[in-house]
Amino acid sequence: MASEPIRVAVLGARGRMGAEVCRAVEAAADLEVVARIDAGDWLFDVADAGAQVVVDFTHPDVVMDNIRFCVDQGIRCVVGTSGFDAERLSTVEGWLAAKPELAVLVAPNFALGAVLSMRFAQLAARYYPSVEIIELHHPGKADAPSGTAAYTARLVAEARSAAGLGPAPDATTSEAPGARGALVDDVRVHSVRLTGLVAHQELLFGGEGETLTIRHDSLDRASFMPGVLLGVREIMGRRGLTVGLENLLTL
Ligand SMILES: NC(=O)C1=CN([C@@H]2O[C@H](COP(=O)(O)OP(=O)(O)OC[C@H]3O[C@@H](n4cnc5c(N)ncnc54)[C@H](OP(=O)(O)O)[C@@H]3O)[C@@H](O)[C@H]2O)C=CC1
Ligand SMILES: O=C(O)C1=N[C@H](C(=O)O)C[C@H](O)C1
């Protein structure tokens, strides 16, 4: 006998990602949307609808309150919203410590190619003295740099530090504000916002007489959906906090 579909609530349901997630979940035979919540809606509808998993694509300013609500209500979370730093992640871990049967997935990027490009970047990082990140997004994006770029910068910085690399060479002594981008974990990150774009990232590595460019392009939000659906299915069998879709893949 077929098992019951997983009951999913979508937060940010009228947004760019939330609307796409509602469509993708509805199209999956083993999942169903039981609540669609957006700004101004009553969050308790999620619990009243018997949601087993919440998918959050809202805003960095509200996502922590949403996770807190879900943990209090005993609901698992798949979180795509950006804005997570080490402090936020450890706060979520603290909440989960009191509810060990629950699980939260925070994935900076659900696109397979983005996850692979970060893994390739980790491999390359130890070999090149210079590295800079350029992230390019649609102009409706609220935060800069992107969550993916911040996460990538951290992975690259960890790989550089493990390899004993110091700061990237840079003789700049005079700079117009922002001209050299933001420093994230000692890695320069440049943010472009441009009509027509969706979500894109380039990592530029430089060594003696050569450069290496690793680029990923999400040309459509459909690119994120297989990762989101995988997250919803996998979170049912997990416990605690998982950071990064790579932990659900065999890479
Ligand atoms: N991890 C990944 O792979 C991806 C992550 N993202 C991230 O997802 C987030 C959303 O992106 P996007 O869909 O483009 O943004 P949108 O602004 O299009 O959508 C966000 C939606 O959330 C709503 N919202 C705001 N506050 C609340 C709240 N408290 N409860 C419920 N809904 C709320 C907004 O309403 P209103 O507009 O009225 O405020 C809006 O409808 C961003 O942080 C983005 O970086 C995006 C793509 C992929
Ligand atoms: O806002 C977006 O669009 C995206 N946000 C995420 C991020 O901040 O990294 C993921 C992807 O880049 C799309």
Side-chain angles (χ1 to χ4, degrees), residues 82 108-109 137-138 141 143 146-149 198-199 221 224:
S82 48
N109 202 307
H137 281 83
H138 59 93
K141 182 163 178 55
D143 54 328
S146 69
T148 306
V198 178
R221 290 181 180 84
F224 303 114

Short mmCIF file of all heavy atoms in Angstrom, two decimals, residues 82 108-109 137-138 141 143 146-149 198-199 221 224, ligand 2:
data_model
loop_
_atom_site.label_atom_id
_atom_site.label_comp_id
_atom_site.label_asym_id
_atom_site.label_seq_id
_atom_site.Cartn_x
_atom_site.Cartn_y
_atom_site.Cartn_z
N SER A 82 18.31 33.12 2.81
CA SER A 82 19.72 33.46 3.05
C SER A 82 19.87 34.23 4.37
O SER A 82 18.89 34.48 5.06
CB SER A 82 20.23 34.29 1.87
OG SER A 82 19.31 35.32 1.57
N PRO A 108 22.37 26.93 1.64
CA PRO A 108 22.61 28.21 0.97
C PRO A 108 22.22 28.18 -0.50
O PRO A 108 21.84 29.21 -1.06
CB PRO A 108 24.12 28.42 1.14
CG PRO A 108 24.49 27.60 2.33
CD PRO A 108 23.57 26.41 2.30
N ASN A 109 22.31 27.01 -1.12
CA ASN A 109 21.94 26.92 -2.53
C ASN A 109 21.45 25.51 -2.84
O ASN A 109 22.15 24.54 -2.53
CB ASN A 109 23.12 27.29 -3.43
CG ASN A 109 22.67 27.72 -4.81
OD1 ASN A 109 21.92 26.98 -5.47
ND2 ASN A 109 23.07 28.90 -5.25
N HIS A 137 23.10 38.55 -9.45
CA HIS A 137 21.70 38.19 -9.21
C HIS A 137 20.74 39.20 -9.82
O HIS A 137 21.11 40.32 -10.15
CB HIS A 137 21.43 38.11 -7.70
CG HIS A 137 21.92 36.83 -7.08
ND1 HIS A 137 23.22 36.65 -6.69
CD2 HIS A 137 21.27 35.67 -6.78
CE1 HIS A 137 23.37 35.44 -6.19
NE2 HIS A 137 22.21 34.82 -6.22
N HIS A 138 19.47 38.80 -9.85
CA HIS A 138 18.35 39.68 -10.23
C HIS A 138 18.29 40.87 -9.25
O HIS A 138 18.68 40.74 -8.08
CB HIS A 138 17.05 38.88 -10.19
CG HIS A 138 16.76 38.30 -8.81
ND1 HIS A 138 16.00 38.96 -7.88
CD2 HIS A 138 17.18 37.16 -8.21
CE1 HIS A 138 15.94 38.25 -6.78
NE2 HIS A 138 16.65 37.13 -6.94
N LYS A 141 16.77 41.04 -5.39
CA LYS A 141 17.38 40.36 -4.23
C LYS A 141 17.62 41.33 -3.08
O LYS A 141 18.15 42.43 -3.29
CB LYS A 141 18.68 39.69 -4.67
CG LYS A 141 19.36 38.91 -3.55
CD LYS A 141 20.40 37.94 -4.07
CE LYS A 141 21.09 37.19 -2.93
NZ LYS A 141 20.14 36.50 -2.03
N ASP A 143 19.54 40.91 -0.19
CA ASP A 143 20.81 40.91 0.56
C ASP A 143 22.03 40.81 -0.35
O ASP A 143 21.98 40.19 -1.40
CB ASP A 143 20.82 39.75 1.58
CG ASP A 143 20.54 38.40 0.93
OD1 ASP A 143 19.78 38.37 -0.06
OD2 ASP A 143 21.09 37.39 1.39
N SER A 146 25.40 37.46 -1.56
CA SER A 146 24.45 36.36 -1.48
C SER A 146 24.90 35.36 -0.41
O SER A 146 26.07 35.27 -0.05
CB SER A 146 24.37 35.64 -2.83
OG SER A 146 25.59 34.95 -3.08
N GLY A 147 23.92 34.58 0.07
CA GLY A 147 24.23 33.52 1.04
C GLY A 147 25.20 32.51 0.44
O GLY A 147 26.11 32.01 1.13
N THR A 148 25.03 32.22 -0.83
CA THR A 148 25.92 31.26 -1.50
C THR A 148 27.35 31.79 -1.51
O THR A 148 28.30 31.04 -1.24
CB THR A 148 25.44 31.02 -2.95
OG1 THR A 148 24.07 30.62 -2.91
CG2 THR A 148 26.28 29.96 -3.64
N ALA A 149 27.50 33.08 -1.82
CA ALA A 149 28.86 33.64 -1.88
C ALA A 149 29.51 33.64 -0.51
O ALA A 149 30.71 33.33 -0.37
CB ALA A 149 28.80 35.07 -2.44
N VAL A 198 19.19 35.68 -13.03
CA VAL A 198 18.52 34.93 -11.96
C VAL A 198 19.53 34.78 -10.81
O VAL A 198 19.53 35.58 -9.89
CB VAL A 198 17.99 33.56 -12.46
CG1 VAL A 198 17.35 32.79 -11.31
CG2 VAL A 198 16.96 33.78 -13.56
N ALA A 199 20.44 33.79 -10.89
CA ALA A 199 21.43 33.58 -9.82
C ALA A 199 22.67 32.96 -10.43
O ALA A 199 22.59 31.88 -11.02
CB ALA A 199 20.87 32.69 -8.73
N ARG A 221 14.45 29.36 -11.91
CA ARG A 221 14.31 28.86 -10.52
C ARG A 221 13.95 27.37 -10.49
O ARG A 221 14.02 26.75 -9.42
CB ARG A 221 13.30 29.72 -9.75
CG ARG A 221 13.87 31.10 -9.47
CD ARG A 221 13.00 32.03 -8.69
NE ARG A 221 13.73 33.30 -8.55
CZ ARG A 221 13.75 34.27 -9.45
NH1 ARG A 221 13.05 34.15 -10.57
NH2 ARG A 221 14.48 35.36 -9.26
N PHE A 224 16.43 24.99 -8.75
CA PHE A 224 16.51 24.75 -7.31
C PHE A 224 15.56 23.63 -6.85
O PHE A 224 15.68 23.15 -5.73
CB PHE A 224 16.15 26.04 -6.54
CG PHE A 224 17.02 27.22 -6.89
CD1 PHE A 224 16.50 28.34 -7.53
CD2 PHE A 224 18.38 27.21 -6.57
CE1 PHE A 224 17.30 29.43 -7.84
CE2 PHE A 224 19.19 28.30 -6.88
CZ PHE A 224 18.65 29.42 -7.51
O1 LIG B 2 18.00 35.56 -3.90
C1 LIG B 2 18.26 34.67 -4.75
O2 LIG B 2 17.76 34.67 -5.87
C2 LIG B 2 19.17 33.59 -4.37
N1 LIG B 2 19.57 33.52 -3.14
C3 LIG B 2 20.43 32.56 -2.59
C4 LIG B 2 21.71 33.22 -2.09
O3 LIG B 2 21.61 34.29 -1.47
O4 LIG B 2 22.78 32.65 -2.28
C5 LIG B 2 20.70 31.38 -3.52
C6 LIG B 2 20.77 31.76 -4.97
O5 LIG B 2 21.95 32.47 -5.18
C7 LIG B 2 19.56 32.60 -5.38
#
